[in-house]
Amino acid sequence: MRASYREPGGLFWTYGFPIIMSLVLGLAFRARAPEPAHVAIADGPRAAWLAERLAGGREVVATVSPAARAENDLRVGKVDVLVVGEADGTVTYRYDESRAEARLARALADRELQRAAGATPAVGSRDELVTEVGARYIDFLLPGLLGLSLMSTGFWGIGFSLAEMRGKKLLKRIVATPMRRSDFLASFLIVRVVLLAIELPPLLIFARLLFSITVRGSPLAFLVVVLLGAMMFATMGLAMASRAENPQIVSGLINVLSFPMYLCSGVFFSAARFPGRVQPVIRLLPLSALNEALRAVMIDGAGFAEIGRQLLVMAVWLAVSFALAMRLFKWR
């Protein structure tokens, strides 16, 4: 335990990183009035007429610019859509269909123009705005940061510490004792469980006080998910450090293994954005399974029955990693 807390990097990944990221991203994506769509109107005979009608709405900010400048603003993303008034009285919208904000700006601009022209909707409708806890970006983000913290602490706190002990020749002293290899490796997992009881409360209190995020599902299921996730990444850290001669080799292995999961396991955005063909692979990644289970229990109110697949994936990673660590570990 002392070795884990002597390392400043370990303390940062355990406490600092998830809290700082939650605070910064929570503020950046806090609930606030939606940004208006930015629309450019190409200067021409009908530009003033279009600007006057678009100026009446709160959801569109329209500016009249020379055609070449408006095209350039659209190209570099300063505006979301370019509106061109044609000589026959029609309007042309120029925008990038692959950008969601561009499609939204096109729809808002067209709605304002149709409304200004006196068009009435064929179907009546009303808006009901949702601001409930569970539908915000921070609700999606925080379980992912918790999973990322468990991964980083397991990799760096366990794997890096073991490699450092070997580099400092501390393991050679333990060889002279009657301690078995399995007992020595299991002691790291016990330490990880003990440290978890110290690490977890500050994060949960922070989430509750600043963002009103609580565990909606079964508290027991939440504890099992966190415990299984922490032990899974701790055993993966042990496996990586089982034969490494120095901490630099472990550092490289950790970066190679963790970087794809940073991007693909749904920490900062949904993994569903990746193509369907790679989804089976993504769902088998250890961080993906942990994040899915955390979100299901914390946000969706799930229990054991709903997270069986994720628990099985994590249990397999835990068993395989520990068996690999037992197979590869060497004292010197």
Side-chain angles (χ1 to χ4, degrees), residues 78-89:
K78 288 185 178 179
V79 296
D80 300 315
V81 64
L82 169 60
V83 182
V84 181
E86 305 292 354
D88 60 359

Side-chain angles (χ1 to χ4, degrees), residues 20-39:
I20 291 173
M21 289 296 290
S22 300
L23 190 60
V24 172
L25 294 176
L27 289 174
F29 294 95
R30 67 191 185 279
R32 58 182 178 179
E35 293 283 337
H38 293 274
V39 174

